[in-house]
Amino acid sequence: MALEDFGSILDVPAAAKYDHTVERMARGLRPLSIDPAADLHTLFRRAVFAWLIADGDMHLMNLALRKMADPGAKVVTTVRFASLADAIAARVFPGLGGDDRMALKLNGKDARLTRQDFFALAGSIGPRSATPRPHWANVPGLCPGTPGRCASRRLPGCPMRRNSFGIRRLQSPSDDPLP
């Protein structure tokens, strides 16, 4: 098994790891993955999750593809999106998560993102044969009327409450923004 980060996949020097977009990652991912639809959905969900937890460090070097070969094989047989690593949940620390800036741009922006920016992202990286909204609508909080509205203060209907430390928490496990 080997991991290859998106800086390497996209041939981007380490100094430029923050200078790219989620859409560019999707263009690099699509031809390499053995299940592009599932991996693009994972990329989309990672972008939503990074925004929800104020992870301003989700850059090209912190996202990777996992490459695997069957025992005895001389070539890679499986390429899939790697597990999440190095996520920084800045939103849970008072004063640290106040900046909603993303490490990578999406829909041309890295700050002040809205639901419409995520719909635009879904439309640009989603399945080419389907309308993006229905396919990507199972990410709670991005679609009005879905259970488990998102944990961001930017979207209405937030199921969060503050505990005695001032930290916002979901009201129930079923409200998890990324089940």
Side-chain angles (χ1 to χ4, degrees), residues 116-136:
Q116 294 309 315
D117 294 314
F118 287 96
F119 282 139
L121 174 66
S124 67
I125 73 171
R128 300 191 191 276
S129 63
T131 306
R133 276 189 197 218
H135 181 76
W136 298 86

Side-chain angles (χ1 to χ4, degrees), residues 3-20:
L3 291 178
E4 184 176 7
D5 68 56
F6 274 88
S8 174
I9 291 165
L10 300 175
D11 198 25
V12 172
K17 65 186 178 183
Y18 293 100
D19 300 338
H20 295 278

